[in-house]
């Protein structure tokens, strides 16, 4: 940790499994204190988490930051996207939040796509075609399966909205996170009355959308619950991917692969995306541009699970062999196969455990790279095919992940030294309130993307083509419900 030269800000990352807090020096970008506390997530078909537990984790993470958090002048929250938080009249959760990786709402997503006129209509109007992960699908599922919970709901929030509201006492969101709901239309940059009526959601239950650079509010009197002074500025916050884009100081066309519980690929674009295939979600970013993004459900946790089943360390990969693994252990979002399970084919007598593990890495990375091609298609004038891929997230420092991305992409890979890019992006957003700067420019001033560049290697076309062929042949089986 470093001593501070200027005012301090706090950036928060409330992810699927934990909350992290960083206290950052606005002048230098130095992290002067940090803290982290875990969350509990249910297993099985549903993925749920108690929002009160997020707040408890936030309190614990901030307590670990000590006096530095008390001296902060502004705070911002980056949070997991899409989650449905339902609050009663007292502001308490009606039920546990439905998380982004809860695929029970896949039938509702399919129905909504059909009811509004098909994928092309959705892409042109909303920027995205809703999948099971989208909040609108989850609300439709809740209305169908738990109508009593819907009747008890007085406010609907996203995870980052919920924590921001605990700080300010008011209901706000931002365009980046709102664009992942399925009820905020990219074409108008506003809530869509038609779709809200179709799913029976009163727009009065939704938060106000705060514009880029605006103050969401100030910290209310928390009775000593939090270390902040009353009146501390609170930024709009945003979803985790938009926050990471801020944390990297992304310029248009620079490709990012994020390797975490989910895998994501994205790039900032000045063009509003509209992909009728549904592969690319046309999200807004937190600044005023766009963040075309594709997400897979199965990334580091799925590969780690396969390593555990094989009794191997996650780095114990071996090259060669004919096995293909599609590690769709939680269903899959990209490709859109919410009812899929994992698939293994090409097994031989001489296949080794290390080759099977490498095949799992290959299957996970293949899905991301196919999606990245679609992301970059929409902004070809900004995309540089020779530029290294920015590799971030929990898996980015794993040698097996790095080498798999290089081998299957044929591109160089840059691994930023900064580890907590969502929290750093939130901190940059908070800093922008104090300095009047573009948050992405703040992050570039902090040099957050600095890190080693691994040179490109020859693309392994044979493996890429084999996985593509297996996926095409197995699609009917993987899509069976």
């Amino acid at each position: 940790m470093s001593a501070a030269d200027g005012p301090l800000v706090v950036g928060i990352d409330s992810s699927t499994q934990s909350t992290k807090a960083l206290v950052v020096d606005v002048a230098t970008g130095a992290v002067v204190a940090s803290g982290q506390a875990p969350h509990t997530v249910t297993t099985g078909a549903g993925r749920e988490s108690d929002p009160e537990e997020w707040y408890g984790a936030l309190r614990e993470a901030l307590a670990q930051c000590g006096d530095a958090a008390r001296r902060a002048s502004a705070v911002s929250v980056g949070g997991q996207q899409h989650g449905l938080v339902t609050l009663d009249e007292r502001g308490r959760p009606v039920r546990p939040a439905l998380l982004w990786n809860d695929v029970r709402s896949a039938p509702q997503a399919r129905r909504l796509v059909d009811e509004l006129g098909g994928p092309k209509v959705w892409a042109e109007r909303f920027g995205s075609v809703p999948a099971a992960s989208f909040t609108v699908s989850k609300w439709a599922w809740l209305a169908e399966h738990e109508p009593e919970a819907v009747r008890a709901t007085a406010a609907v929030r996203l995870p980052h909205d919920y924590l921001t509201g605990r700080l300010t006492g008011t209901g706000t969101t931002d365009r980046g996170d709102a664009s992942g709901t399925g009820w905020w239309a990219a074409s108008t940059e506003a809530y869509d009355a038609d779709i809200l009526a179709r799913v029976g959601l009163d727009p009065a239950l939704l938060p106000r959308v705060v514009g880029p650079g605006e103050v969401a509010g100030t910290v209310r009197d928390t009775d000593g619950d939090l270390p902040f002074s009353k009146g501390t500025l609170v930024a709009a916050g945003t979803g985790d991917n938009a926050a990471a884009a801020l944390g990297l100081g992304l310029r248009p066309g620079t490709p990012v692969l994020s390797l975490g519980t989910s895998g994501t690929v994205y790039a900032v674009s000045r063009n509003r995306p509209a992909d009728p295939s549904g592969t690319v979600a046309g999200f807004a970013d937190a600044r005023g541009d766009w963040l075309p993004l594709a997400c897979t459900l199965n990334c580091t946790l799925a590969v780690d699970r396969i390593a555990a089943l094989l009794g191997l360390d996650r780095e114990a990969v071996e090259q060669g062999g004919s096995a293909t693994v599609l590690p769709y252990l939680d269903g899959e979002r990209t490709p859109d196969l919410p009812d899929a399970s994992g698939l293994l084919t090409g097994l031989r007598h001489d296949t080794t455990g290390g080759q099977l593990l490498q095949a799992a890495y290959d299957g996970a990375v293949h899905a991301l790279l196919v999606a990245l091609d679609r992301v970059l298609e929409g902004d070809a004038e900004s995309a540089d095919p020779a530029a290294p891929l920015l590799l971030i997230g929990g898996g980015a420092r794993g040698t097996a992940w790095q080498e798999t991305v290089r081998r299957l992409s044929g591109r160089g890979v840059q691994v930023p030294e900064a580890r907590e890019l969502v929290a750093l992006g939130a901190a940059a957003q908070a800093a922008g309130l104090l300095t009047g700067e573009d948050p992405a420019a703040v992050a570039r001033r902090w040099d957050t993307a600095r890190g080693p560049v691994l040179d490109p290697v020859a693309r392994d076309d044979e493996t890429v083509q084999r996985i593509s062929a297996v996926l095409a042949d197995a699609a009917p089986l993987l899509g069976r419900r």
Side-chain angles (χ1 to χ4, degrees):
M1 302 299 172
S2 306
D5 296 328
L8 301 179
V9 292
V10 171
I12 295 161
D13 172 12
S14 182
S15 67
T16 312
Q17 299 181 67
S18 68
T19 290
K20 309 173 190 74
L22 300 182
V23 184
V24 181
D25 179 6
V26 172
T28 66
V31 176
V32 300
S34 64
Q36 180 173 351
H39 306 157
T40 301
V41 179
T42 62
T43 58
R47 294 289 191 275
E48 301 183 355
S49 191
D50 182 2
E52 291 282 2
E53 192 173 319
W54 304 340
Y55 186 65
L58 172 61
R59 291 172 56 195
E60 173 60 27
L62 288 169
Q64 293 171 23
C65 293
D67 184 62
R70 296 183 182 85
R71 295 187 284 122
S73 300
V75 57
S76 179
V77 179
Q80 55 177 305
Q81 292 183 260
H82 302 305
L84 174 64
V85 180
T86 51
L87 305 176
D88 64 19
E89 292 182 348
R90 297 174 296 174
R92 297 178 180 175
V94 171
R95 69 177 314 286
L98 296 169
L99 303 187
W100 60 273
N101 53 351
D102 189 318
V103 298
R104 288 176 292 179
S105 54
Q108 287 73 26
R110 289 189 287 265
R111 187 179 69 232
L112 286 169
V113 172
D114 292 341
E115 285 180 358
L116 206 63
K120 190 172 187 292
V121 173
W122 272 94
E124 291 176 351
R125 188 154 135 195
F126 292 88
S128 303
V129 180
S133 56
F134 278 55
T135 324
V136 68
S137 307
K138 299 185 185 307
W139 176 262
W141 181 91
L142 194 67
E144 184 174 331
H145 292 273
E146 299 182 19
E148 69 286 355
V150 166
R151 287 192 292 270
T153 297
V156 171
R157 301 290 183 262
L158 297 166
H160 112 259
D161 307 342
Y162 171 75
L163 291 174
T164 300
R166 292 295 297 260
L167 294 173
T168 65
T170 59
T172 60
T173 191
D174 89 301
R175 68 192 291 274
D177 217 3
S179 66
T181 59
W183 54 59
W184 184 91
S187 57
T188 60
E189 299 213 23
Y191 293 133
D192 188 279
D194 180 23
I195 197 63
L196 290 173
R198 286 175 183 270
V199 297
L201 178 55
D202 183 349
L205 274 58
L206 298 176
R208 177 175 67 90
V209 181
V210 178
E214 290 184 28
V215 176
T218 59
V219 174
R220 60 178 171 172
D221 188 351
T222 59
D223 297 322
D225 211 24
L226 295 171
F228 304 121
S229 301
K230 183 179 179 181
T232 299
L233 294 178
V234 181
T238 192
D240 50 5
N241 291 298
L246 287 183
L248 288 165
L250 277 192
R251 298 184 189 275
T254 302
V256 177
L257 273 76
S258 179
L259 306 173
T261 304
S262 65
T264 54
V265 289
Y266 55 84
V268 169
S269 176
R270 297 208 165 94
N271 303 321
R272 182 170 71 84
D275 177 15
S277 77
T279 299
V280 178
F283 295 150
D285 76 353
R287 297 174 54 257
D289 288 327
W290 301 93
L291 195 71
L293 176 149
C295 177
T296 64
L297 295 184
N298 299 277
C299 195
T300 57
L301 285 185
V303 173
D304 284 352
R305 178 58 181 153
I306 290 172
L309 289 171
L310 295 169
L312 296 175
D313 180 90
R314 63 169 64 108
E315 294 288 339
V317 296
E318 296 179 47
Q319 300 301 316
S322 57
T324 297
V325 175
L326 302 180
Y328 302 161
L329 307 189
D330 286 323
E332 190 45 83
R333 170 173 167 176
T334 306
D336 184 18
L337 297 165
D339 302 302
S341 56
L343 182 145
L344 164 62
T345 186
L347 198 62
R348 300 287 186 182
H349 276 291
D350 60 353
T351 303
T352 68
Q355 289 171 343
L356 287 181
L357 181 56
Q358 180 61 67
Y361 277 97
D362 290 348
V365 169
H366 176 271
L368 287 169
L369 292 176
V370 170
L372 180 62
D373 287 342
R374 296 297 297 266
V375 165
L376 297 177
E377 278 176 9
D379 200 8
E381 67 273 18
S382 297
D384 179 1
L389 304 175
L390 284 175
L391 204 62
I392 66 172
R397 285 170 173 76
T399 300
W401 283 109
Q402 293 173 0
E403 294 307 309
T404 302
V405 171
R406 292 172 73 203
R407 182 170 51 82
L408 297 189
S409 70
R411 297 176 66 154
V413 166
Q414 182 173 0
V415 183
E417 294 173 0
R419 290 180 178 268
E420 302 298 345
L421 287 163
V422 173
L424 279 173
Q429 190 184 55
L433 294 183
L434 303 180
T435 67
E437 294 174 272
D438 175 351
V442 171
R444 290 194 291 270
R445 177 165 59 78
W446 292 348
D447 200 16
T448 52
R450 179 184 65 250
V453 178
L454 307 177
D455 292 335
V457 298
R459 186 170 182 259
D460 184 355
D461 290 322
E462 180 182 349
T463 297
V464 170
Q465 292 167 7
R466 185 178 73 247
I467 297 172
S468 297
V470 167
L471 180 57
D473 290 343
L477 175 64
L478 292 168
R480 186 178 299 161
R481 296 194 293 276

